[in-house]
Amino acid sequence: MTDGREALVVGASGISGNNVARRLVSHGWTVWGLTRSGSVPVDEVQPIAADVQKADEVRHALDGVSPTHIFYCTWARRAVEAENCAVNSAMLSNVLTALADRSTVQHVALVTGLKHYLGPFESYAKSPAVTPFREEQPRLPGENFYYDQEDVLFAAAERDGYTWSVHRPHTMIGWALGNTMNMGVTLAAYGALCRETGEPFVFPGSPEQYSGVTDITDARLLAAQLEWAATTPDAANTAFNTVNGDVFRWRQMWKVVAAGLGVEPAEYPGYPQPLETRMAGMGPVWQRLVERFDLQPTSLDSLASWWHTDADLGRTMETFADMNLGRSLGFTETQDSRRSFLDLFDTLREARVIPPL
């Protein structure tokens, strides 16, 4: 029973927003999806078009919308962290301010990530890190737009009288196209290009990532935790790590990924070979694949985020998070990380985004 729950999902076309919108609709929620274009890839979601960087536009777009729950699942990247802090805190503030007079709002969930522990892009993974990451660890010194977003959320919740939750996923794997931080789709494109060109399907990252312990977040599991935290009183006003609940080493997972893409895994050379360099100029090759296999007319640039996958796989420290806090409060769902990749690859083939095996 949803008891009249009505959700506003901000960023409903992205990997986290898309998946939580789908889950909520399937559980009987009324869902509005706010995106810049007004396009939402879930038929049952009511679309709202607004650029959340523009306060007046957001206020006008949300006029007449009175959600019980808000799921904030978007962000904007800028050249330096000071700009990231300014723009991302303003975007969240614009949404919460536009709804400040709606007495219907009961809970706001904010999706951030493990840069809470690893630092921002310009100093990413350069600070000492103690694994597994636990929610009670103190903030790192220096600027971090996740911290600014949290502070905006905490102040708005105190002002307007609703509860909040913060969710910190690791690398997210799941269905979404055109997302700038989607390793699963990026690896799928990489595998298809290697099959086409004969390039070796070699792990592109650091020795530390290849052999160290890590984890990931299935976007479906994130959606499950978002719904749980938003509707569980014991979870109110809490920040949660959000990972699958298992750990792995890429030296093992790389064979699973390769098999799922129908390509032979190459021997790891012991040093990074970044995809952004290796895959440069592959746009025309991808276009040949699109035409030959009658794939969706998507450009390689809209599918593959080489830079982001290079950043994740190029870290020189092991990275994994503890889930005991959520479990202690009742969130016990887990996800086999092997299936996170394999299910996504199956979905991409069914949707004719990547070539068949």
Side-chain angles (χ1 to χ4, degrees), residues 103-158:
S103 60
T104 56
V105 178
Q106 301 170 18
H107 185 88
V108 177
L110 169 66
V111 177
T112 61
L114 292 196
K115 285 192 293 296
H116 186 95
Y117 310 108
L118 290 165
F121 286 117
E122 58 197 57
S123 59
Y124 185 60
K126 294 180 181 177
S127 298
V130 178
T131 54
F133 298 135
R134 291 190 169 92
E135 293 89 343
E136 70 269 17
Q137 290 176 214
R139 291 179 175 182
L140 299 173
E143 295 177 308
N144 190 318
F145 81 81
Y146 287 167
Y147 305 161
D148 285 27
Q149 286 184 310
E150 286 186 345
D151 291 342
V152 167
L153 174 60
F154 301 158
E158 183 175 3

Side-chain angles (χ1 to χ4, degrees), residues 4-83:
R5 292 170 181 158
E6 301 186 6
L8 171 67
V9 178
V10 182
S13 61
I15 188 169
S16 56
N18 182 342
N19 279 272
V20 72
R22 290 179 186 276
R23 181 182 179 91
L24 296 178
V25 163
S26 72
H27 288 179
W29 291 60
T30 297
V31 181
W32 291 280
L34 191 158
T35 65
R36 182 182 302 176
S37 66
S39 176
V40 179
V42 184
D43 291 340
E44 299 87 348
V45 172
Q46 302 174 49
I48 299 173
D51 182 347
V52 292
Q53 297 183 47
K54 300 176 180 178
D56 290 343
E57 189 171 315
V58 173
R59 186 166 51 252
H60 177 73
L62 295 179
D63 185 37
V65 176
S66 297
T68 58
H69 297 72
I70 301 169
F71 299 87
Y72 190 87
C73 306
T74 192
W75 70 290
R77 188 184 183 195
R78 294 292 183 266
V80 296
E81 193 62 14
E83 295 175 3

Side-chain angles (χ1 to χ4, degrees), residues 73-331:
C73 306
T74 192
W75 70 290
R77 188 184 183 195
R78 294 292 183 266
V80 296
E81 193 62 14
E83 295 175 3
N84 280 329
C85 290
V87 69
N88 284 286
S89 58
M91 288 162 56
L92 176 58
S93 181
N94 288 342
V95 172
L96 299 183
T97 300
L99 296 170
D101 62 345
R102 314 296 153 83
S103 60
T104 56
V105 178
Q106 301 170 18
H107 185 88
V108 177
L110 169 66
V111 177
T112 61
L114 292 196
K115 285 192 293 296
H116 186 95
Y117 310 108
L118 290 165
F121 286 117
E122 58 197 57
S123 59
Y124 185 60
K126 294 180 181 177
S127 298
V130 178
T131 54
F133 298 135
R134 291 190 169 92
E135 293 89 343
E136 70 269 17
Q137 290 176 214
R139 291 179 175 182
L140 299 173
E143 295 177 308
N144 190 318
F145 81 81
Y146 287 167
Y147 305 161
D148 285 27
Q149 286 184 310
E150 286 186 345
D151 291 342
V152 167
L153 174 60
F154 301 158
E158 183 175 3
R159 178 193 68 207
D160 298 328
Y162 45 72
T163 59
W164 56 266
S165 58
V166 174
H167 303 262
R168 299 170 183 164
H170 194 179
T171 300
M172 267 191 283
I173 306 298
W175 170 259
L177 302 182
N179 184 272
T180 58
M181 297 176 68
N182 196 333
M183 179 192 287
V185 176
T186 298
L187 293 181
Y190 175 39
L193 290 168
C194 287
R195 285 178 63 192
E196 177 69 10
T197 64
E199 279 282 315
F201 188 70
V202 62
F203 179 77
S206 69
E208 293 84 354
Q209 284 297 300
Y210 187 65
S211 295
V213 174
T214 193
D215 55 20
I216 56 173
T217 303
D218 192 301
R220 297 168 297 186
L221 183 129
L222 171 62
Q225 194 195 63
L226 284 164
E227 183 183 26
W228 166 81
T231 57
T232 301
D234 286 347
N237 303 329
T238 307
F240 295 101
N241 292 332
T242 316
V243 291
N244 283 353
D246 60 5
V247 294
F248 62 88
R249 303 179 195 275
W250 274 109
R251 69 187 186 203
Q252 300 160 319
M253 186 65 78
W254 198 246
K255 298 175 184 178
V256 175
V257 170
L261 295 172
V263 64
E264 284 295 317
E267 182 178 353
Y268 180 60
Y271 55 86
Q273 295 188 21
L275 294 174
E276 192 164 27
T277 301
R278 291 185 57 217
M279 296 293 105
M282 287 285 190
V285 179
W286 184 260
Q287 188 57 39
R288 291 203 305 267
L289 291 173
V290 169
E291 294 171 359
R292 186 190 317 158
F293 293 102
D294 190 29
L295 304 180
Q296 289 190 34
T298 51
S299 69
L300 185 59
D301 287 344
S302 71
L303 293 177
S305 51
W306 308 123
W307 68 272
H308 178 258
T309 297
D310 285 339
D312 265 4
L313 299 183
R315 290 182 303 231
T316 56
M317 62 176 69
E318 67 177 20
T319 303
F320 60 99
D322 181 90
M323 283 287 284
N324 281 320
L325 177 59
R327 289 170 180 155
S328 71
L329 295 174
F331 183 74

